[in-house]
């Protein structure tokens, strides 16, 4: 079977075009230009790449952006003070603190310090609680992006069995909630699997929709996937590859080359979930402005 490639790159470009039009409308009505800030602590290479991509995306859609770069040895108290400044800065509509943070800083404490009305990552307990209650809120960017991909490709979800691999607070757990909600995409029967799951392959083989966020390169192989399934790959891993100019290649959590031919739909890495995460962050920032006005 020839699968349909779920191109997050294409869908995210379409969403960014829509956001750019909405920004123009806001400006013509005299409403402020949306302004997203990103806090980056330390010099982690991957985090720097992601934050730079977020700032670049802001420019593309006509948002203002601010990058707050802090030293890796900043104290927790000083970081919390920076967050308070952003909470109180009325020109900043939303902001994110890029994770992971250095070990001496409590991520939960930092997440809870962000004003819920500026929590465009959707990681604050208030945002997550509203999501659970199906109230309007900022949805976590990666799960939100995945629902928008499913919507764009009209992938049927009602009554389907969705299996999620990985129960992280930022991807797997919220993903399982969104897929079970009474809406489209949603209305799935959801199985959330994790490191203690027994007979994982038996469960994944029963999945109509398989969402993989386990953080292990090429973990999902063809024998774990049902014929005709939809497979969404959240993983992204830099693997050294001397044959490439960059010195590395990018792999997902799914062994794409052997899994793809079994699928009705499959998302690639790169060009799949990654760009959707950024588009969702922009959508949340636009929503923050709209909610304020
Ligand atoms: N680290 C990995 N993914 C994310 C994300 O979506 N937001 C933030 N702030 N940090 C991350």
């Amino acid at each position: 079977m020839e699968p349909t490639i779920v191109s997050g790159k294409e869908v995210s470009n379409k969403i960014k075009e829509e956001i750019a039009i909405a920004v123009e409308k806001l400006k013509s009505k005299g409403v402020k230009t949306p302004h997203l800030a990103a806090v980056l602590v330390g010099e982690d290479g991957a985090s720097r790449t992601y934050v730079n991509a977020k700032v670049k995306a802001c420019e593309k859609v006509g948002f203002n952006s601010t990058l707050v770069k802090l030293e890796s040895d900043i104290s927790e108290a000083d970081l919390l003070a920076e967050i308070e400044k952003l909470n109180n800065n009325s020109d900043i509509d939303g902001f994110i603190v890029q994770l992971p943070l250095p070990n001496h800083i409590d991520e939960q404490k930092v997440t809870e310090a962000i004003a819920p009305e500026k929590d465009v990552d959707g990681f604050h307990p208030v945002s997550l609680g509203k999501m659970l209650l199906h109230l309007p809120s900022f949805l976590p960017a990666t799960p939100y992006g995945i629902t928008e991909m499913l919507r764009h490709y009209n992938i049927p979800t009602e009554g389907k069995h969705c299996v999620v691999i990985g129960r992280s607070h930022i991807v797997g757990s919220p993903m399982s909630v969104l897929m079970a909600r009474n809406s489209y995409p949603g209305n799935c029967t959801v199985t959330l699997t994790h490191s203690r799951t027994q007979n994982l392959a038996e469960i994944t083989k029963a999945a109509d929709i398989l969402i993989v966020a386990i953080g292990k390169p090429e973990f999902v192989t063809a024998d774990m996937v049902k014929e005709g399934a939809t497979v969404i790959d959240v993983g992204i891993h830099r693997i050294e590859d001397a044959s490439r100019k960059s010195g590395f290649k990018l792999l997902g959590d799914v062994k794409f080359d052997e899994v793809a031919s079994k699928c009705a739909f499959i998302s690639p890495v790169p060009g799949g979930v990654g760009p959707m995460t950024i588009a969702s962050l922009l959508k949340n920032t636009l929503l923050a402005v709209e909610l304020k006005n």
Side-chain angles (χ1 to χ4, degrees):
M1 201 194 321
E2 268 301 308
T4 298
I5 303 297
V6 177
S7 172
K9 198 172 162 189
E10 274 176 33
V11 182
S12 68
N13 281 333
K14 184 174 154 266
I15 291 172
K16 281 189 256 183
E17 281 168 23
E18 289 165 3
I19 293 173
I21 292 168
V23 171
E24 283 308 315
K25 269 198 191 144
L26 284 178
K27 286 183 189 171
S28 69
K29 282 196 284 186
V31 181
K32 75 185 290 293
T33 301
H35 189 170
L36 173 71
V39 179
L40 176 63
V41 182
E43 287 293 320
D44 179 73
S47 288
R48 211 164 15 154
T49 308
Y50 298 145
V51 168
N52 287 340
K54 289 170 185 178
V55 169
K56 213 170 115 190
C58 283
E59 283 166 20
K60 193 166 169 197
V61 298
F63 284 8
N64 291 331
S65 63
T66 296
L67 176 55
V68 181
K69 269 180 144 176
L70 302 170
E71 298 294 327
S72 61
D73 62 355
I74 188 172
S75 70
E76 187 180 276
D78 286 350
L79 176 57
L80 292 171
E82 289 289 337
I83 289 170
E84 199 49 29
K85 272 197 248 170
L86 293 167
N87 284 340
N88 293 325
N89 181 340
S90 61
D91 194 59
I92 305 273
D93 301 295
F95 66 97
I96 65 153
V97 178
Q98 188 66 28
L99 305 178
L101 290 170
N103 285 332
H104 67 281
I105 296 175
D106 180 346
E107 280 184 3
Q108 195 54 36
K109 215 164 162 183
V110 168
T111 301
E112 291 185 29
I114 297 171
E117 65 276 15
K118 297 193 180 189
D119 175 39
V120 288
D121 250 337
F123 297 166
H124 191 283
V126 167
S127 303
L128 292 171
K130 285 184 173 175
M131 176 190 72
L132 202 58
L133 296 168
H134 214 156
L135 296 169
S137 68
F138 302 116
L139 298 176
T142 300
Y144 185 19
I146 292 169
T147 63
E148 292 309 290
M149 286 167 116
L150 297 171
R151 185 196 308 282
H152 181 87
Y153 286 90
N154 280 317
I155 295 171
T157 62
E158 185 169 320
K160 302 295 183 190
H161 184 197
C162 175
V163 174
V164 179
I165 310 183
R167 60 177 158 188
S168 73
H169 292 161
I170 67 177
V171 185
S173 293
M175 193 75 242
S176 68
V177 170
L178 292 177
M179 295 307 285
R181 294 201 313 187
N182 182 6
S183 61
Y184 178 79
N187 280 313
C188 285
T189 304
V190 176
T191 304
L192 180 58
T193 69
H194 45 76
S195 55
R196 308 293 171 90
T197 295
Q198 295 181 353
N199 304 323
L200 179 66
E202 246 170 63
I203 297 167
T204 59
K205 268 190 99 141
D208 302 305
I209 301 168
L210 180 61
I211 301 175
V212 192
I214 190 174
K216 293 185 182 161
E218 298 192 320
F219 178 82
V220 169
T221 46
D223 56 307
M224 296 169 74
V225 177
K226 177 163 88 174
E227 200 74 44
T230 292
V231 174
I232 303 293
D233 188 350
V234 181
I236 185 150
H237 310 274
R238 275 189 193 207
I239 307 291
E240 269 184 48
D241 182 352
S243 73
R244 297 190 187 217
K245 225 164 94 185
S246 62
F248 67 87
K249 63 179 170 182
L250 293 172
L251 292 181
D253 286 353
V254 175
K255 204 162 188 177
F256 184 92
D257 291 342
E258 65 173 54
V259 171
S261 62
K262 292 186 90 173
C263 296
F265 297 90
I266 184 167
S267 75
V269 177
V273 172
M276 291 303 297
T277 296
I278 294 178
S280 303
L281 180 65
L282 299 175
K283 268 176 91 114
N284 278 343
T285 306
L286 187 63
L287 178 65
V289 176
E290 287 168 352
L291 290 176
K292 223 162 60 173
N293 292 279

